[in-house]
Amino acid sequence: MSWRGISLSVLVIFVVLCSAKIAHAHASMNLRNSNSNSSDTDTHQNYTQFLLTNGVARTPPMGWNSWNHFQCNIDERTVKTTADALVSTGLAALGYKYINIDDCWAEGKRDWRGNLREKRSTFPSGIKALADYVHAKGLKLGIYSDAGYKTCSKTMPGSLGHEDIDARTFAEWGIDYLKYDNCYHDGSKPLDRFARMSYALQKVARPILYAICEWGEENPAKWASRYGNAWRTTTDIKDIWESITSIADENNVWGRYAGPGRWNDPDMLEVGNGGMSLEEYQSHFSIWAIMKAPLLIGCDIRSASRETLRILGNKEAIDVNQDPLGVQARKIRSKAGLEVWAGPLSSRRVVIVLWNRSKYRAPISVGWREVGLSPSNPVSVRDLWAIASTVWSHSN
């Protein structure tokens, strides 16, 4: 028994509900939910408990980040109107909660007390007032810093050597998310530098989602869950097809390290920025969704097309991403650009993606045994882009 799709575009994603128990689903797909690790230190266990108790990143974070579209051209008005748009488009109601300011938000030097200062020319009301505005809309505010002496733009100080004071500042401002980058440091090990900010965040009386942006250089999936909620596994994303496929493959390697409270991060979404076709953006979003990646919109939501909003607003794909089981789907077969990705979901379900990365239309089939299903049991198949269901039994 198998399911077969003729790829007319690039990708098909569907969820299979089995009427009986899913037998050996994890083993069949070489998947493992590594939410616990016997080698974790007490500090790791305590910090994980701290995170889960405060409800931070139980599922992959969702929201918007300024960098992919605006880079350094970011200001208070853009952040406020983006928060407005996140609500008015209905995206906030689907789970997109974080409004994250990336690099270039601060003055070039600290004040005489050593505090970071928001850039008055672009954030005249201050970050605290901006956080209040965002929170009043039911959203959360994120900010950016760096585990070095300067941030990657070289326009503002990093937090190396100022971890405690910056963590306190972020908490006092009402920050909910910290993206912590890896530029212009002292050459010390990233584990040590990123750990320092982790310990500083633990001291403040506010749960702040901690996203480690080490670019995957020293395999952070193996160590970053001791310190943060998400970690970049790859270099920066670009709004081109080759970047999407390459990053998906790199992130796939680390699937077993992800789980509730700690996620592999293949970088922010490029959907809607104009460099790819709608079919390619649909594939990009689908693969990020099943990989349990943070879904951080990287386009200008205020002017996003109806087609872009349809992709970003696919509730059933989002539900896969936010599934409480928290197991990252993995690539289980690849031949001549024709791929099958799959992973277990809660409630006896499996998500499957048929992904045609070749240059030609071609059929892709997947056998139920490949994804841990018994071919003798009837299943319900739900296409998440066609929004259509099929009952599939032994007689089909």
Side-chain angles (χ1 to χ4, degrees):
M1 298 297 297
S2 66
W3 180 265
R4 172 171 167 158
I6 304 292
S7 181
L8 299 175
S9 54
V10 183
L11 172 147
V12 177
I13 177 172
F14 55 95
V15 168
V16 178
L17 171 62
C18 184
S19 60
K21 273 191 174 181
I22 296 176
H24 312 300
H26 293 253
S28 299
M29 291 177 284
N30 193 27
L31 295 170
R32 183 165 65 91
N33 185 0
S34 5
N35 295 340
S36 60
N37 187 329
S38 58
S39 66
D40 289 346
T41 63
D42 290 340
T43 301
H44 181 186
Q45 292 168 347
N46 291 340
Y47 186 48
T48 300
Q49 184 60 44
F50 164 80
L51 293 171
L52 294 176
T53 298
N54 286 280
V56 177
R58 289 181 183 271
T59 58
M62 296 174 60
W64 172 86
N65 179 283
S66 60
W67 185 256
N68 284 2
H69 188 86
F70 295 96
Q71 298 190 348
C72 276
N73 299 315
I74 187 67
D75 56 30
E76 180 179 302
R77 182 180 178 278
T78 300
V79 175
K80 285 184 174 181
T81 53
T82 297
D84 297 342
L86 205 62
V87 173
S88 64
T89 57
L91 291 172
L94 292 172
Y96 293 97
K97 297 295 186 185
Y98 289 98
I99 296 287
N100 292 347
I101 307 166
D102 210 283
D103 205 347
C104 311
W105 60 267
E107 296 286 2
K109 293 183 179 179
R110 296 172 178 270
D111 69 16
W112 66 276
R113 292 188 179 93
N115 295 303
L116 289 168
R117 301 177 294 151
E118 56 269 88
K119 191 183 292 184
R120 285 296 171 179
S121 61
T122 50
F123 293 91
S125 302
I127 299 297
K128 175 66 170 69
L130 185 56
D132 291 344
Y133 183 91
V134 169
H135 292 156
K137 293 192 167 290
L139 305 174
K140 299 177 182 293
L141 187 68
I143 210 160
Y144 168 98
S145 191
D146 188 281
Y149 297 119
K150 287 187 177 292
T151 62
C152 295
S153 69
K154 297 185 182 180
T155 64
M156 56 176 277
S159 292
L160 185 62
H162 294 83
E163 292 85 0
D164 287 332
I165 191 171
D166 289 353
R168 287 196 300 270
T169 297
F170 298 149
E172 289 167 3
W173 284 346
I175 294 300
D176 304 292
Y177 186 117
L178 173 63
K179 175 183 174 182
Y180 204 51
D181 221 333
N182 193 35
C183 289
Y184 305 112
H185 51 77
D186 59 1
S188 60
K189 293 182 179 180
L191 188 155
D192 296 332
R193 288 181 289 109
F194 286 101
R196 286 182 221 166
M197 180 55 81
S198 175
Y199 299 143
L201 291 172
Q202 289 183 59
K203 297 175 188 175
V204 301
R206 183 176 186 83
I208 297 175
L209 194 156
Y210 182 35
I212 292 171
C213 188
E214 187 266 1
W215 319 319
E217 290 187 345
E218 295 197 22
N219 303 332
K222 292 184 175 181
W223 53 264
S225 65
R226 285 177 257 174
Y227 309 109
N229 304 106
W231 49 86
R232 279 277 299 281
T233 55
T234 70
T235 56
D236 288 354
I237 196 169
K238 297 178 181 178
D239 190 18
I240 57 175
W241 182 241
E242 292 74 19
S243 175
I244 303 306
T245 55
S246 172
I247 283 178
D249 290 343
E250 290 179 58
N251 193 65
N252 176 61
V253 173
W254 307 107
R256 67 190 180 92
Y257 293 93
R262 50 197 205 178
W263 308 103
N264 291 314
D265 181 2
D267 209 0
M268 299 163 291
L269 295 165
E270 290 283 6
V271 177
N273 278 327
M276 292 183 279
S277 69
L278 288 175
E279 290 81 7
E280 289 169 334
Y281 281 139
Q282 183 173 297
S283 296
H284 170 26
F285 187 78
S286 298
I287 291 296
W288 262 236
I290 69 162
M291 290 195 301
K292 305 299 187 294
L295 297 181
L296 297 175
I297 298 169
C299 70
D300 188 347
I301 303 170
R302 303 169 303 176
S303 58
S305 68
R306 183 179 303 175
E307 291 79 13
T308 293
L309 293 176
R310 183 184 68 86
I311 293 171
L312 296 172
N314 185 317
K315 184 180 183 304
E316 296 192 40
I318 291 170
D319 287 345
V320 167
N321 178 261
Q322 298 291 295
D323 183 75
L325 189 61
V327 176
Q328 179 175 324
R330 309 276 291 282
K331 185 189 300 190
I332 63 171
R333 176 158 42 91
S334 178
K335 185 176 182 181
L338 306 180
E339 298 187 352
V340 177
W341 295 57
L345 301 173
S346 59
S347 302
R348 306 193 320 275
R349 297 172 302 149
V350 174
V351 63
I352 303 169
V353 165
L354 307 181
W355 195 7
N356 183 355
R357 286 164 52 167
S358 75
K359 298 180 180 179
Y360 310 100
R361 291 194 302 173
I364 306 176
S365 299
V366 59
W368 291 146
R369 291 191 190 278
E370 288 184 85
V371 295
L373 301 175
S374 168
S376 61
N377 291 325
V379 297
S380 174
V381 179
R382 176 83 171 166
D383 186 325
L384 302 191
W385 288 107
I387 314 299
S389 298
T390 302
V391 176
W392 197 263
S393 65
H394 187 68
S395 60
N396 287 109

